[in-house]
Amino acid sequence: MPAGHGLRSRTRDLFARPFRKKGYIPLSTYLKTYKIGDYVDVKVNGAVHKGMPHKFYHGRTGRVWNVTKRAIGVEVNKQVGNRIIRKRIHVRVEHVQPSRCTEEFKLRKVKNDQLKAEAKAKGVVISTKRQPEGPKPGFKVEGATLETVTPIPYDVVNDLKGGY
Amino acid sequence: MGRQPIGSPYVKAQKTRAYFKRFQVKFKRRREGKTDYRARTRLINQDKNKYNTPKYRLVARFTNKDVTAQIVHASIRGDIVLAAAYAHELPRYGLEVGLTNYAAAYCVGLLLARRVLKQLEMDTEYEGNVEATGEDYSVEPGETRRPFRCLLDVGLIKTTTGNRVFGVLKGALDGGLDIPHSDKRFAGFSKDSKQLDPEVHRKYIYGGHVAAYMRTLIEDEPEKYQSHFSEYIKRNIDPDNIEGLYKKVHAAIRADPEAKKSEKEPAKEHKR
């Protein structure tokens, strides 16, 4: 019999619940709110059968474009052939987690605003741009003793002792 | 394999180390037997397109000597209680005995409803059912604001007809809250005629069932009456003036439902 390519084929381990985490899902999943424009990670919860995305989207991150009663519309990039299509899927909230990909950016935005406000108050011009790590500065090596190493002259008689 | 006292015969351990390694504990409140998570997920789940709008539930719980009614909404950091009413507050309104019966549960529900409405400044707009008749009453939407909506959370009790949690529900409804319900489980609903008999329900709300029992005991077993209803006798509560007593309590509740902070001594400092 051929392998079969059904909707949930090859998902035996992918959709399985982790070890000792079976059964009821914690209620914080239902209490989280999602707004349009948020970034979310799609992670399938095998315990909830409704509103499951296709296995391709497991592990993808996308933006929220729609919010309905029990589900969220997520816009995910998918490479089809030679182009990337923006695909819009609807997923129940149990299969979605808020993404931390923009967390660092948001924190930096807040901090930069604060720095700029301080600089404006003092009248100083600052740049809040991130700089890439440059070459390491020069440094002195401490506690070094000099040892000169020279090669030993080749001694035919001794080195050939073990035979050819 | 577990240490056994020396000299005892070898007993194969039933629960091996492997068993414990694979054991998945249930949620803590399930282990304690306090929360029904199946019901809780359905009560808490709010439509996503309502974002942060809180979904309030009327929590009615009974202990052996007290009744607790709270308006709660859920949050990730923990449930937040908007208002609470207890049966042990009823002495303040003139009811000192029978704090866990159907009539007292009605009083607690009524107290909670009036308290919440006063807190939200909706109490003048939503009077509710001032005269308790036992009929099915639902709040009508007022002029400016829509009525306060919450869902009944019974917890782990069996929802049989005439249960006291529905007494709390009826008290809250008559107090002016909007709670989706049906009269199938109120005391006085007959399965045969599929109708609520408001007379029977009204009897329960005013403690008529207690009064009836008192009357039968006075006639048949006066000694048992003395021992069982000793607190009632001490306060001169006869079967005839029970209804009047509850009417007064309802009026007192509607007059001043505010919660009063109890005076507590500062906690004793323990010497280390």
Side-chain angles (χ1 to χ4, degrees), chain B residues 143-205:
Chain B
E143 275 90 62
T144 48
R145 295 169 71 168
R146 286 179 315 176
F148 183 83
R149 192 181 179 86
C150 55
L151 310 171
L152 181 66
D153 178 351
V154 292
L156 292 159
I157 61 118
K158 283 239 176 348
T159 51
T160 51
T161 316
N163 196 305
R164 294 170 293 169
V165 289
F166 300 111
V168 176
L169 172 66
K170 186 75 178 125
L173 287 169
D174 285 351
L177 299 187
D178 176 19
I179 308 174
H181 67 282
S182 98
D183 51 2
K184 183 169 160 203
R185 290 299 179 197
F186 285 135
F189 184 85
S190 111
K191 257 205 316 193
D192 312 315
S193 74
K194 297 237 178 2
Q195 260 189 358
L196 173 68
D197 185 356
E199 276 305 311
V200 177
H201 197 200
R202 188 187 177 286
K203 206 170 71 115
Y204 271 80
I205 290 174

Side-chain angles (χ1 to χ4, degrees), chain B residues 5-24:
Chain B
I6 304 176
S8 68
Y10 174 67
V11 182
K12 186 173 164 73
Q14 201 57 356
K15 283 190 191 161
T16 58
R17 196 172 128 76
Y19 165 83
F20 287 113
K21 282 187 130 189
R22 298 194 61 85
F23 187 76
Q24 180 187 337

